[in-house]
């Protein structure tokens, strides 16, 4: 074999080997870049899902607290009314407000987490207990025209304490869930 052919063969093999090595390295770098982009996209989607979940939870918690505030206002009004002003048992503003709390609580149950739903159940129980107690006090007493708030201050203070305790526990649990 002549020297020229040997040199040409070595040069062409070197060129092919260099091109192959260059292509292999390019492919490897491209795979790493694509892998990084896929990881970034997954992380961005995960962050978006967390943000959406947190927004839905926050909305459910706010709706629940708003319904609780309305129920508290309706109960406070009922405490201030005399028996002659209070509507008969059945569907009334207090009942509607308590039902709205139940409906808002369903969203809390759905959005979770379980710890917040459990504390929310205590808030619902507290509101229902206050409504029941108020109705019992009004129904058990003879009609005097004096508002229940004037006749049952100790009972009312106890129920207000339960309101504050359960509501604050819910707010703490909700904040903790939104911080995670």
């Amino acid at each position: 074999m002549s020297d020229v052919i040997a040199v040409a063969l070595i040069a062409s093999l070197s060129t092919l080997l260099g091109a192959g090595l260059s292509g292999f390295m390019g492919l490897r770098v491209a795979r790493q870049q694509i892998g990084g982009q896929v990881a970034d996209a997954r992380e961005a989607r995960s962050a978006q899902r967390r943000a959406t979940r947190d927004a839905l939870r926050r909305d459910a918690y706010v709706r629940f607290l708003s319904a609780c505030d309305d129920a508290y206002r309706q109960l406070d009004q009922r405490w201030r009314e005399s028996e002659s002003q209070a509507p008969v048992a059945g569907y009334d503003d207090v009942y509607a407000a308590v039902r709205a709390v139940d409906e808002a609580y369903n969203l809390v149950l759905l959005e979770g987490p379980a710890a917040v739903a459990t504390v929310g159940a205590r808030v619902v129980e507290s509101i229902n207990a206050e409504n029941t107690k108020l109705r019992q006090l009004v129904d058990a007493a003879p009609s005097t025209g004096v508002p229940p708030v004037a006749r049952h201050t100790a009972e009312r203070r106890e129920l207000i304490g339960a309101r504050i305790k359960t509501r604050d526990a819910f707010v703490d649990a909700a904040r903790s869930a939104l911080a995670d």
Side-chain angles (χ1 to χ4, degrees):
M1 194 186 296
S2 76
D3 288 341
V4 173
I5 293 177
V7 168
L9 187 58
I10 291 172
S12 63
L13 287 175
S14 295
T15 302
L16 286 175
L17 184 61
L21 187 58
S22 177
F24 174 75
M25 292 306 290
L27 179 63
R28 190 169 174 177
V29 167
R31 279 188 175 170
Q32 287 176 344
Q33 288 175 343
I34 290 172
Q37 289 172 349
V38 168
D40 290 345
R42 283 184 183 146
E43 187 176 318
R45 278 194 310 268
S46 178
Q48 181 62 37
R49 279 193 301 270
R50 277 191 308 274
T52 301
R53 181 201 65 204
D54 287 350
L56 290 172
R57 282 183 174 175
R58 187 177 303 108
D59 290 345
Y61 301 162
V62 167
R63 185 172 180 185
F64 178 69
L65 288 170
S66 178
C68 290
D69 285 342
D70 186 46
Y72 295 147
R73 279 191 294 280
Q74 293 299 326
L75 285 166
D76 288 341
Q77 178 63 34
R78 182 61 45 82
W79 277 103
R80 289 187 298 272
E81 292 173 345
S82 69
E83 296 90 349
S84 61
Q85 293 174 300
V88 295
Y91 188 85
D92 57 18
D93 291 340
V94 174
Y95 178 80
V98 171
R99 286 294 304 134
V101 169
D102 290 337
E103 291 169 8
Y105 176 66
N106 287 335
L107 288 175
V108 172
L109 276 173
L110 181 64
E111 294 301 329
V116 175
T118 299
V119 178
R122 290 188 200 120
V123 174
V124 172
E125 290 167 5
S126 171
I127 290 171
N128 284 320
E130 182 174 350
N131 186 31
T132 300
K133 182 70 171 177
L134 176 58
R135 287 187 185 273
Q136 288 171 349
L137 292 172
V138 169
D139 292 344
S143 183
T144 61
V146 178
V149 71
R151 290 182 290 133
H152 304 288
T153 56
E155 292 92 342
R156 184 158 189 260
R157 270 192 233 120
E158 182 180 324
L159 293 167
I160 296 281
R163 277 186 197 183
I164 293 167
K165 181 180 175 184
T166 57
R167 189 217 41 228
D168 289 352
F170 178 81
V171 169
D172 290 343
R175 284 181 180 155
S176 177
L178 292 173
D180 289 341

